[in-house]
Amino acid sequence: VAANAFIVAALYFAFGKFGKLRIGGAEAKPEFTKFGWYAMLLSAGMGIGLLFWSVAEPISHLSTPSPMFGLTGLDAGESAQAAMATTFFHWGIHPWAIYAIVGLGLAFFAYNRGLPLTIRSVFYPLIGNKIYGTWGNIIDVLSVLATLTGLATSLGLGVAQVNAGLNYLFDVQISVSVQVALIFGITGLATLSVVLGLDGGVKRLSEINMVLAGVFMVFILIAGPTVYIMSGFTQNLGDYMSNIIEMSLWTETFKGTNWQIDWTVFYWAWWISWSPFVGMFIARISKGRTVREFILSVMIVPTVLSFFWLSVFGGTGIFLETNGLADIAAAVDIDSSLALFSMVDALPVSGILSIVGIVLVTVFFVTSSDSGSLVVDHLTSGGKLDSPVPQRIFWAVMEGLVAATLLIGGGLAALQTASVITGLPFAIILLIMIYSLFQGLKQEHEVEQVVHKEVSSVRESHIINEAINEAVHDEALVNEKHS
């Protein structure tokens, strides 16, 4: 219900009377070109999770499809289509609607109201100056906890995949102790990036990240079943669009199964946990955009790229599996983190691709950790953009410790549980945020309407005065001619 509420709210804000309001005020100009802005939105949409699950999830659904589709005993083609539709559902409009609402709230109250760029500021219409007191602190503390567990889940998935890659290439043992050692090693790199700052570290690594990811995807597209991938992308998109309402409201009521606990419930909680991190990033780059442009761009552009990425990797995995060219399902049964490398093993130059995969996951880990550290640091310092370096280091280390603790405590299951536990209370806060954002946009719209009427009135007065002056001038000319 909460995940669907964000979509309804986002579409209402985009297509209703608030759609023409501009972030930063009526005269605000965008800081970035549309192409540059879209590029940054795309980078926000790419993460460790998309790399980890792009093969593992479709293959898992192929073996054990969502009970909603009722595909027991049917052919592999229908199972493959259902698997891709379900994967699209989890990585589609829903997460980006959550990010759009959080990002719009942060951007609006920061740039239109001059409040600090923190979650507490979005609640100003409801609690006023109390955002600077206990209530504001509670909101930001929950934001920090949600962000930390969301990041810890991603970092845990990342090191599991790095460990799987090292096992494939160098026969390194897959174990929690190896993964904890990897967390501390890669967290050290992330800490160095945090010390270098936004431009020196995070920005440069993000650029490297995007180039590597793009090259990796294009190579898989060319080396894999290209026609199958491209035609699959089109069909998957149609299947997703035709089933989205049923999938969004399906709750297993008449099936008596618990499939959603491991998949949809986990995903929605994970996206909610990630929302302060992604929302703050897109808020900082979106000044000068209208509400309509902001919401539709955030919901559509990264979603389409994610769908294409999933079609390339998931489609290749399903093609290899269903045609007996690789046994990826067996690898997923052992460990989901092996899925990507099992798929790559059936392609040309698999060794090089595996190395690129490990490097890519590592760089994703570093960029997620350092970006997340900056966001958490930003929240805990009351919205200050330039907080002390030791404080940044503290949060970078804390993220690594949380991820390591959850891995030691129970692996992937513990990571998923942590996301769900923190996602629930924060979901309630985000639902209240929708109403608060509505109040803020409503006030802005009313003010703009008054200003518009006043400007129109002044213009009309100016036109009337000009007409009178012209008439007086014409009469003077007539009198002069008579004389």
Side-chain angles (χ1 to χ4, degrees):
V1 170
N4 292 320
F6 295 117
I7 293 180
V8 173
L11 294 177
Y12 173 77
F13 291 148
F15 293 108
K17 60 185 177 180
F18 305 139
K20 292 182 179 178
L21 294 177
R22 194 170 292 277
I23 297 169
E27 304 301 321
K29 302 293 181 189
E31 296 178 65
F32 306 98
T33 63
K34 270 199 175 181
F35 178 79
W37 186 53
Y38 286 152
M40 284 186 277
L41 288 180
L42 296 179
S43 68
M46 300 293 289
I48 295 172
L50 199 54
L51 194 63
F52 184 95
W53 290 112
S54 58
V55 180
E57 183 171 353
I59 294 296
S60 295
H61 297 328
L62 187 68
S63 305
T64 312
S66 166
M68 190 197 89
F69 291 98
L71 294 177
T72 307
L74 293 184
D75 66 74
E78 290 189 355
S79 296
Q81 186 167 337
M84 290 305 298
T86 307
T87 306
F88 271 30
F89 172 58
H90 290 146
W91 293 87
I93 294 293
H94 284 79
W96 286 101
I98 298 169
Y99 299 154
I101 291 293
V102 176
L104 178 62
L106 287 165
F108 175 78
F109 285 98
Y111 296 128
N112 294 64
R113 293 287 183 270
L115 295 171
L117 190 63
T118 59
I119 301 293
R120 68 173 74 196
S121 297
V122 186
F123 295 87
Y124 189 83
L126 300 183
I127 60 176
N129 287 328
K130 289 180 182 177
I131 63 167
Y132 300 110
T134 303
W135 284 109
N137 293 337
I138 290 171
I139 291 166
D140 275 353
V141 165
L142 281 172
S143 305
V144 169
L145 288 174
T147 305
L148 280 175
T149 51
L151 281 165
T153 301
S154 295
L155 302 185
L157 294 176
V159 292
Q161 203 163 28
V162 172
N163 192 181
L166 293 173
N167 173 263
Y168 169 76
L169 286 173
F170 308 112
D171 204 29
V172 174
Q173 181 186 2
I174 295 178
S175 67
V176 172
S177 57
V178 171
Q179 290 167 12
V180 169
L182 286 169
I183 283 178
F184 288 122
I186 303 174
T187 299
L189 293 174
T191 305
L192 179 61
S193 177
V194 165
V195 171
L196 292 172
L198 195 61
D199 289 326
V202 179
K203 182 182 173 185
R204 193 167 297 164
L205 275 175
S206 296
E207 289 169 353
I208 295 169
N209 215 13
M210 288 303 293
V211 171
L212 266 178
V215 170
F216 194 39
M217 182 178 72
V218 169
F219 187 88
I220 299 293
L221 176 63
I222 295 169
T226 309
V227 175
Y228 180 87
I229 290 168
M230 296 302 292
S231 58
F233 169 69
T234 306
Q235 187 166 322
N236 298 337
L237 194 58
D239 202 35
Y240 167 72
M241 292 171 70
S242 65
N243 285 296
I244 186 170
I245 294 177
E246 186 180 0
M247 288 191 290
S248 299
L249 300 172
W250 182 71
T251 56
E252 293 184 284
T253 307
F254 308 112
K255 290 288 184 181
T257 55
N258 290 312
W259 181 90
Q260 281 186 321
I261 291 172
D262 293 328
W263 291 106
T264 309
V265 172
F266 159 63
Y267 270 122
W268 288 180
W270 192 14
W271 303 143
I272 287 166
S273 299
W274 261 91
S275 61
F277 167 54
V278 180
M280 191 165 290
F281 174 76
I282 58 179
R284 287 182 66 178
I285 63 173
S286 299
K287 187 177 181 181
R289 305 290 170 185
T290 64
V291 170
R292 182 172 297 132
E293 181 185 15
F294 176 90
I295 286 176
L296 295 182
S297 297
V298 169
M299 286 177 67
I300 294 171
V301 175
T303 297
V304 171
L305 179 83
S306 297
F307 285 171
F308 190 69
W309 177 280
L310 290 167
S311 293
V312 171
F313 286 84
T316 302
I318 284 177
F319 179 85
L320 295 172
E321 178 70 28
T322 54
N323 285 280
L325 301 173
D327 194 0
I328 305 172
V332 171
D333 285 340
I334 297 168
D335 191 336
S336 297
S337 57
L338 293 168
L340 177 67
F341 300 101
S342 179
M343 181 201 79
V344 163
D345 194 33
L347 297 174
V349 293
S350 58
I352 295 172
L353 287 178
S354 297
I355 292 170
V356 172
I358 293 171
V359 172
L360 194 56
V361 175
T362 304
V363 178
F364 268 130
F365 186 122
V366 174
T367 51
S368 296
S369 180
D370 57 17
S371 302
S373 301
L374 290 171
V375 168
V376 172
D377 186 47
H378 187 69
L379 288 169
T380 53
S381 60
K384 291 179 184 175
L385 294 177
D386 297 314
S387 50
V389 172
Q391 190 169 310
R392 295 185 204 171
I393 294 171
F394 170 79
W395 286 115
V397 172
M398 277 301 296
E399 279 162 22
L401 284 173
V402 171
T405 303
L406 289 171
L407 273 176
I408 293 168
L412 180 59
L415 293 166
Q416 290 178 315
T417 304
S419 285
V420 173
I421 288 170
T422 55
L424 177 61
F426 198 61
I428 296 167
I429 283 183
L430 295 190
L431 288 172
I432 298 170
M433 177 190 284
I434 293 173
Y435 178 71
S436 185
L437 178 56
F438 169 78
Q439 292 296 328
L441 292 172
K442 182 182 174 186
Q443 291 167 8
E444 182 85 358
H445 182 259
E446 289 170 354
V447 169
E448 284 207 1
Q449 289 292 98
V450 171
V451 170
H452 180 69
K453 284 180 182 177
E454 289 179 355
V455 169
S456 297
S457 178
V458 168
R459 279 180 185 159
E460 284 173 11
S461 299
H462 183 66
I463 290 167
I464 291 168
N465 287 333
E466 279 189 347
I468 292 170
N469 289 335
E470 238 179 87
V472 169
H473 182 257
D474 289 346
E475 192 178 349
L477 285 174
V478 169
N479 291 334
E480 192 179 333
K481 283 179 181 176
H482 277 297
S483 298

